[in-house]
């Protein structure tokens, strides 16, 4: 046995953390100048293995600190404290077009971090020098997860610990439907009572075959408003992709919903005004002749909503918005013409005189799926839109490094925006310290 | 109320941590210049409430940072990032002599941190706080394995770090209170050492216990024989009576060869067949304080000069770290350590010995942020309840726990992990 073998000491701090918190990966006690690979491995809920790795050289004290040292190769390079997470990708031999998504938020994402001798690229039969286990949580201790089925809602409420009352967030995902909880769980871990709402495949729709209408969202809003631990006057709405379409619809037109602010990610305001949810959904005809197919047979739906209509009856009238709006778009979004829509939104609001409400974050080389930080980037994955039986490979876009930086930046700014609009006292220039 | 419409935001980072890791407690979104109390509450496994609190004033941005700001009152004062843990004490109305110990190390210690309006000194649980969060404090890092050891007549628990190994090992020995205490071994495994917490006295056995050194040698061998342990990198960690055992093994054993030893609050002088005999022989020197807490310290004085009454510490062969408190009221630990140092010096082995003494520190030097207890019940099972004075003042004792743990880990890391320098002074 190599005498050096037992000397290498690996530590990750903190070993248990929230999904959006950073960690420090430290290797000590290696021989000076020792070449090593630091590797991460995760077995996902759907039975796939994801890995990432960086190539390092120990310094004169025999130390590698991933937060400070350069990776000279692997799935990421340069100084990347969190590269072992955001550059995770399916191991060789995996099915193609996988997407990382944790559906059970009550257990942590477990990642094994290991050290191997030399600069390796294949790990199957390699001997580890050291290895530790790291837990990444969506739910902070004390966060309560409450399934909601009243009033025909299909939703999950996440409440922060403590007496409250807390500001509320109505949280919507996109055209794939289902009840996706992880962003709401994370928002509750940051002090927001967050309601993850299934509005495309709720039980009521599966039972009746009919899509929900505006009042479904208003019911969800009222549920939050009336909840004893929610501040009824401080409720925000947040949507991604088709969720943006719904968010803008409600923010602009609902008489019932008085939102404190709205966050719209990777979406657009393009929708027939006064239409039902179903009518709008159908409008995004996924078989439209504007659908393009890439060389790798990936579906590109970017052009479906283009050109941006000039007819005001085909766009939510954002000039009427009365609450702050945070728009987040990726300039390489291949699924939705979000940057083009954002430009049009900006112009409409400037003309209407309410553009002081708008914050637009536009990220270069960033794709459609702008997820919480360190979520592995997927450029294209299998996707089944609601109402279709076809499982397609959809191109989301984005270049991994830029996309990952955008996720980190957008999340921090989203939390700051929500805190500013839902928590802060008026007339005070509040800057929030953040651990992120 | 208007104030309620703008609740403060309370955060603890990291929200889940090992018990020896520091956290940052931050309150934001308060009105500027607002007096608040930051409060911690813990319900122990034996159903007692422990609490701590500090009095703060928010800055112009409405923030209080427990790591950066000064507490003006409460169970701790001054700039104390971890005061909410180490100054925990039983809530008013609790029984005397309580000790906070986590027996089940597989689950975290849950601490509720909350912020209250104003500078409160009592009745915290009758008030709704402005905000509260929960934080988890773990003895076991993720991936650490816990294994019951019941072989060769041994009773103990083995903790194994995650990873392929091999790892250095530690035999972990507690004191005369007996029983099986796992928390330090679990924490040591979380730092990369295969650790065996060994039971060698059942609780209450003290008055009649006799120590059988074969038992400890066998336990040491069990660690060495484990496939994930490097056999020549096994050390011993003892506290109190556990240190006495360690001194004996280090100086006299011909069967085992510990790589290094850590001894907290130890004594090398115990010329009795049992603790019971020691007490009987020295009853005239057994004092009590104004609360009727027993002070054992003087029973060990004067330290005999006759070497046959002591462990001959000149015979140790491995590096030894001695950690003691000047205010130890159960044993004159510092005087005993100086006596050990003289014997080691006379044998020309100064280079093996490191002594660390702390002022204001008592006998029970535990891992960092463990609440300090100046006196607790001892021998609860066999006799009418006795409360022993351990000594120490909370603030200096807590500082000593923090500082000594760092030094202990560095010492163990150096001797058990680092490749030995061929030109080391050995």
């Amino acid at each position: 046995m190599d005498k050096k073998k037992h000397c290498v000491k690996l530590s990750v701090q903190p070993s248990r953390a929230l999904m959006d918190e950073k960690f420090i990966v430290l290797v000590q006690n290696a021989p000076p100048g020792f070449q090593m690979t630091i590797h991460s491995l995760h077995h996902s809920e759907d039975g796939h293995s994801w890995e990432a790795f960086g190539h390092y050289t120990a310094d004169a004290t025999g130390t590698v600190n991933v937060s400070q040292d350069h990776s000279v190769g692997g799935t990421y390079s340069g100084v990347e404290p969190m590269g072992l997470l955001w550059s995770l990708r399916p191991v060789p031999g995996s099915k193609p077009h996988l997407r990382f998504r944790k559906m059970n938020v009550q257990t942590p994402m477990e990642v094994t971090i290991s050290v191997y001798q030399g600069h390796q690229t294949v790990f199957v039969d390699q001997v580890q020098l050291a290895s530790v286990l790291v837990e990444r949580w969506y739910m902070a201790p004390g966060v309560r997860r409450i399934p909601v089925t009243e009033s025909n809602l299909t939703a999950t409420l996440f409440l922060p610990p403590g007496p409250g009352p807390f500001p509320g967030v109505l949280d919507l995902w996109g055209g794939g439907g289902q009840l996706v909880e992880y962003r709401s769980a994370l928002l509750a871990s940051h002090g927001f009572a967050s309601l993850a709402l299934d509005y495309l495949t709720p039980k009521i729709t599966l039972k009746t075959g009919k899509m929900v209408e505006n009042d479904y969202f208003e019911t969800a809003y009222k549920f939050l408003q009336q909840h004893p631990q929610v501040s009824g006057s401080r409720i925000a709405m947040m949507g991604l992709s088709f969720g943006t379409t719904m968010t803008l619809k409600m923010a602009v037109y609902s008489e019932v919903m008085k939102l404190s602010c709205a966050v719209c990610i990777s979406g657009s305001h393009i929708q027939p005004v006064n239409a039902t949810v179903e009518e709008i959904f159908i409008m995004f005809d996924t078989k439209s002749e504007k659908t393009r197919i890439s060389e790798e047979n990936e579906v590109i739906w970017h052009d479906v909503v283009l050109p941006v209509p000039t007819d005001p009856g085909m766009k939510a009238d954002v000039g009427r918005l009365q609450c702050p709006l945070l728009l987040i778009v990726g300039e390489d979004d291949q699924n939705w013409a979000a940057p083009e829509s954002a430009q049009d939104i900006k112009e409409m609001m400037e003309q209407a005189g309410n553009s002081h409400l708008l914050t637009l974050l536009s990220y270069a080389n960033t794709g459609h799926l702008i997820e919480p930080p360190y979520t592995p980037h997927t450029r294209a994955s299998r996707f089944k839109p609601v109402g279709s039986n076809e499982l397609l490979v959809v191109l989301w876009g984005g270049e991994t490094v830029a996309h990952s930086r955008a996720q980190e930046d957008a999340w921090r700014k989203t939390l700051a925006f929500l805190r500013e609009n839902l928590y802060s006292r008026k007339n005070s220039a509040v800057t929030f310290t953040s651990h992120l | 109320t208007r104030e309620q419409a703008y609740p403060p935001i309370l955060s603890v980072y990291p929200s889940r941590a090992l018990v020896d890791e520091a956290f940052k407690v931050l309150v934001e979104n308060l009105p500027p210049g607002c007096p608040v109390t930051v409060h911690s509450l813990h319900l122990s496994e034996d159903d007692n409430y422990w609490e701590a609190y500090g009095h703060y004033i928010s800055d112009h941005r409405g923030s209080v940072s427990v790591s950066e700001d000064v507490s003006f009152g409460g169970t701790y004062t001054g700039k104390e990032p971890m005061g909410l843990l180490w100054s925990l004490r039983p809530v008013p109305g609790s029984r005397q002599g309580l000790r906070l110990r986590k027996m089940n190390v597989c689950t975290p210690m849950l601490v509720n941190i909350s912020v209250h309006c104003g500078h409160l000194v009592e009745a915290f649980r009758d008030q709704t706080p402005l905000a509260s969060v929960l934080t988890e404090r773990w003895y076991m890092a993720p991936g650490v394995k816990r294994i019951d050891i019941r072989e060769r007549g041994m009773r103990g628990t083995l903790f194994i770090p995650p990873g392929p190994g091999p790892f250095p090992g530690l035999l972990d020995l507690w004191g005369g209170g007996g029983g099986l205490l796992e928390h330090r071994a679990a924490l040591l495994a979380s730092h990369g050492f295969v650790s065996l917490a060994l039971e060698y006295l059942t609780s209450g056995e003290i008055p009649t216990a006799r120590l059988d050194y074969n038992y400890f040698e066998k336990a040491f061998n069990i660690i060495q024989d484990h496939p994930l342990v490097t056999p020549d990198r096994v050390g011993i960690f003892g506290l109190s009576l556990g240190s006495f055992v360690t001194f004996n093994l280090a100086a006299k054993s011909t069967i085992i060869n510990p790589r290094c030893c850590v001894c907290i609050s130890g004594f090398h002088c115990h010329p009795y067949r049992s603790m019971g005999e020691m007490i009987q022989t020295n009853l005239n020197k057994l004092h009590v304080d104004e609360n009727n807490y027993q002070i054992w310290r003087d029973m060990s004085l004067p330290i005999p000069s006759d070497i046959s009454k002591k462990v001959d510490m000149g015979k140790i062969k491995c590096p030894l770290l001695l950690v003691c408190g000047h205010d130890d009221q159960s044993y004159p630990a510092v005087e005993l350590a100086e006596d050990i140092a003289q014997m080691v010096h006379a044998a020309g082995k100064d280079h093996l010995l490191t002594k660390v003494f702390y002022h204001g520190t008592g006998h029970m030097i535990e891992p960092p942020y463990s609440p300090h207890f100046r006196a607790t019940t001892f021998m609860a099972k066999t006799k009418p309840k006795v409360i022993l004075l351990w000594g120490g003042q909370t603030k200096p004792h807590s500082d000593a726990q923090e500082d000594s743990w760092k030094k202990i880990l560095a010492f163990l890391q150096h001797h058990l992990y680092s490749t030995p320098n061929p030109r080391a002074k050995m």
Side-chain angles (χ1 to χ4, degrees), chain A residues 93-329:
Chain A
S94 298
K95 261 159 99 164
H97 306 123
L98 295 173
R99 179 180 172 185
F100 171 81
R101 268 203 140 169
K102 195 151 192 341
M103 300 310 274
N104 177 1
V105 298
Q106 296 184 93
T107 58
M109 173 192 184
E110 289 187 345
V111 181
T112 302
I113 311 268
S114 318
V115 183
Y116 293 87
Q117 183 169 354
H119 288 170
Q120 310 293 344
T121 54
V122 173
F123 300 91
V124 171
D125 288 320
Q126 298 280 356
V127 176
Q128 296 167 344
L129 298 181
S131 157
V132 295
L133 189 64
V134 167
E135 293 179 358
R136 309 286 297 171
W137 290 80
Y138 285 98
M139 284 171 72
V143 166
R144 292 156 285 172
R145 177 186 175 272
I146 302 159
V148 174
T149 51
E150 61 188 71
S151 313
N152 284 330
L153 292 172
T154 299
T156 312
L157 176 65
F158 289 90
L159 282 177
F166 308 100
V169 177
L170 188 50
D171 177 32
L172 311 185
W173 285 87
Q178 291 178 79
L179 181 46
V180 182
E181 299 185 354
Y182 53 88
R183 191 170 58 200
S184 282
L186 211 46
L187 287 170
S189 300
H190 288 283
F192 303 98
S194 190
L195 187 71
L197 184 69
D198 179 358
Y199 62 96
L200 287 177
T201 55
K203 291 199 174 55
I204 189 74
T205 294
L206 299 179
K207 191 167 116 182
T208 63
K210 286 170 61 168
M211 275 203 169
V212 305
E213 314 232 340
N214 290 350
D215 60 302
Y216 183 82
F217 298 97
E218 287 166 351
T219 303
Y221 172 88
K222 281 191 279 198
F223 168 83
L224 270 179
Q225 195 187 32
Q226 288 159 12
H227 194 286
Q229 284 189 285
V230 177
S231 309
S233 59
R234 295 160 163 267
I235 297 176
M237 197 161 168
M238 180 164 181
L240 183 143
S241 195
F242 191 73
T244 289
T245 310
M246 295 293 101
T247 299
L248 287 172
K249 181 191 213 306
M250 305 311 293
V252 173
Y253 298 108
S254 172
E255 308 269 296
V256 170
M257 293 172 83
K258 299 281 167 256
L259 299 176
S260 297
C261 65
V263 181
C264 291
I265 306 172
S266 301
S268 85
H269 58 322
I270 298 167
Q271 53 183 278
V273 171
N274 291 327
T276 62
V277 173
E278 179 153 22
E279 285 164 344
I280 299 176
F281 192 72
I282 287 169
M283 195 201 91
F284 295 103
D285 178 3
T286 55
K287 293 208 188 357
S288 152
E289 72 261 14
K290 290 195 250 177
T291 304
R292 288 184 280 127
I293 309 288
S294 74
E295 277 170 20
E296 285 89 18
N297 256 349
E298 300 146 336
V299 175
I300 303 173
W301 278 324
H302 173 271
D303 299 346
V304 168
V305 298
L306 294 179
V308 175
T310 45
D311 172 7
M314 283 305 294
K315 306 188 279 194
D317 187 4
V318 290
R320 281 168 49 172
L321 264 180
Q322 293 181 345
C323 69
L325 171 64
L326 177 64
L327 273 190
I328 299 171
V329 302

Side-chain angles (χ1 to χ4, degrees), chain A residues 6-7 9 13 15-16 21-22 29 128 131 133 137 139-141 161-163 165 234 419 423-425 432-433 435, chain B residues 5-7 9 11 13 15-16 21 28-31 129 132 134 138 140 142 162-164 166 191 233 413 417 419:
Chain A
H6 64 58
C7 284
K9 197 155 186 297
Q13 255 203 340
S15 50
R16 295 177 175 91
E21 288 170 350
K22 290 192 156 78
N29 242 20
Q128 296 167 344
S131 157
L133 189 64
W137 290 80
M139 284 171 72
R234 295 160 163 267
R419 281 179 154 192
Y423 262 105
S424 87
R425 309 163 167 280
F432 287 98
T433 329
H435 302 299
Chain B
Y6 301 87
I9 301 174
S11 61
Y13 175 77
S15 51
R16 295 178 173 91
E21 287 170 350
E28 296 168 289
N29 212 39
L30 292 163
S132 89
L134 195 63
W138 290 80
M140 283 171 73
H191 286 282
R233 286 168 183 266
Q413 166 91 358
Y417 259 102
T419 316

Side-chain angles (χ1 to χ4, degrees), chain B residues 39 130 162 397 406:
Chain B
H39 178 260
L130 299 174
H397 188 98
K406 281 199 197 77

